[in-house]
Amino acid sequence: MTDHPLTDATRAKLEQVSVATLATALYKRGLRHQVIQDVRPVAPKGRNMVGPAFTLRYMPAREDRNQLVEFRNPDHPQRKAIETCPPGHVFVMDSRKSATAASAGDILITRLMMRGGAGVVTDGGFRDAMNIGQLDMPAYHARPSSPTNLTTNEAIDINVPIGCGDAPVFPGDILVGDDDSVIVIPAHLADEVAEEAVEMTAYEDFVIEQVRGGATIIGLYPATQDENLALFKEWRAKNGR
């Protein structure tokens, strides 16, 4: 687990910035592959998902090990992960970028929500996705998938480093999801990236207002003219930003 816990202040900042802005902030630090690829909201929520990662890794199923009777085992890693994911965390699954079988269904994801989960992400698919989309908790996947996970997957490791949609995810990394996608922020960078993203968002809001008013983007985005920086300073004071 990380030695860099998510503070309430940083969580609040990450709740108000886009994944796109965070991706740029991480790009400045040389991190180019932190957005989880080919994963989207099951249903848009109009608010950000934010929380530390708690992970589950799937491997290819071997038929003699993955019969329905496995679900009767109270220590089955998929079931155990749902029952041990800490409140406020995002449950992240490495499903081998395959939605040929489901990563989980609405009953397990509802249980995760009732235990206080901040969200759930898989690079595979969910069964009963229409029901998961109606839950208050944010959920992200590649597409709906009806076959039980045992069909092609075996849940094998809980809270270990994983890959999810080609992004590296370490337990305790900070996951942020908006209505577009999900990004993974290394835990030790979360505070500074959140602060920078808030500043970037303020300037981007100013830029949008200027562009809608007819301004050119040259010298405005990015800011290369002092007059635009002066206008931004005035805009910020006026708007309390």
Side-chain angles (χ1 to χ4, degrees), residues 221-232:
Y221 187 71
T224 58
Q225 295 178 358
D226 290 343
E227 62 188 80
N228 285 320
L229 293 174
L231 284 173
F232 173 54

Side-chain angles (χ1 to χ4, degrees), residues 122-197:
T122 177
D123 59 4
F126 289 123
R127 64 194 314 199
D128 311 305
M130 73 293 282
N131 296 332
I132 292 173
Q134 292 172 3
L135 296 176
D136 187 55
M137 184 183 72
Y140 296 80
H141 71 169
R143 62 170 173 82
S145 178
S146 295
T148 177
N149 72 85
L150 296 170
T151 308
T152 59
N153 288 331
E154 177 175 348
I156 196 71
D157 279 326
I158 298 175
N159 218 29
V160 297
I162 62 170
C164 185
D166 290 327
V169 185
F170 291 84
D173 280 352
I174 307 305
L175 275 287
V176 181
D178 59 16
D179 283 345
D180 284 341
S181 54
V182 182
I183 194 165
V184 185
I185 305 174
H188 68 282
L189 294 176
D191 294 340
E192 64 181 79
V193 166
E195 180 65 30
E196 181 171 337

